[in-house]
Amino acid sequence: QQQVKQSPQSLIVQKGGISIINCAYENTAFDYFPWYQQFPGKGPALLIAIRPDVSEKKEGRFTISFNKSAKQFSLHIMDSQPGDSATYFCAASIIQGAQKLVFGQGTRLTINP
Amino acid sequence: DGGITQSPKYLFRKEGQNVTLSCEQNLNHDAMYWYRQDPGQGLRLIYYSQIVNDFQKGDIAEGYSVSREKKESFPLTVTSAQKNPTAFYLCASSGGYQNTIYFGEGSWLTVV
């Protein structure tokens, strides 16, 4: 019930294309769904996050789509750029108190110029 | 600069030795965390602390110990009981809008 499943493991997209990464969760008590971006040798950095009371959140070229009934959420990167090449992690938690984030396995994204 | 500072960045340990990883934050966050990351894997929670002098085990606490004597500091000791300690260790803290979790730059531990 604590798992978050992320796919694909790796993704190659042409510059200017749309990158899509998917995640599924089991625990219906989760109420906070962030996406983190990690460059090699660095700590993850928060990219965008969503609560389950909305179905979509957009920040610049990054959009989270959330489907509560299917227990799925996804990250869309529009107009993908070589600088977006990184590993992306979805996560889920219960937002109050100490957040025990449960992470997906990660997706290594490569944007070809 | 505000943030989370981890040290050392790289650490080599001989088998049978304990090592301590430092984590300091100046974000005035109450909660702090330690995660472990193995190559090509997601992050797994080792320990977390909501307030000073209190901490809880995460999913993979065996072979690790922590202390929280000050709000700003949350050191992690990797003991000789940890069977496979070679990994990338990440410290984090949470607070502010949506109780966001912020990560440090990480520490690489290699057993030689």
Side-chain angles (χ1 to χ4, degrees), chain A residues 26-97:
Chain A
E26 298 170 356
N27 187 349
T28 55
F30 288 149
D31 60 0
Y32 177 66
F33 303 89
W35 284 89
Y36 282 84
Q37 180 189 56
Q38 185 179 33
F39 293 104
K42 301 292 187 182
L46 179 67
L47 194 60
I48 187 173
I50 198 168
R51 301 293 303 277
D53 52 344
V54 297
S55 60
E56 185 174 283
K57 183 175 181 180
K58 183 176 181 179
E59 290 184 2
R61 295 184 295 109
F62 301 92
T63 300
I64 299 179
S65 297
F66 186 81
N67 186 330
K68 188 174 181 178
S69 60
K71 293 187 283 186
Q72 295 175 347
F73 57 111
S74 60
L75 175 70
H76 295 232
I77 306 175
M78 312 299 287
D79 187 25
S80 299
Q81 299 297 312
D84 296 331
S85 297
T87 299
Y88 292 81
F89 292 95
C90 63
S93 73
I94 299 169
I95 198 170
Q96 288 193 333

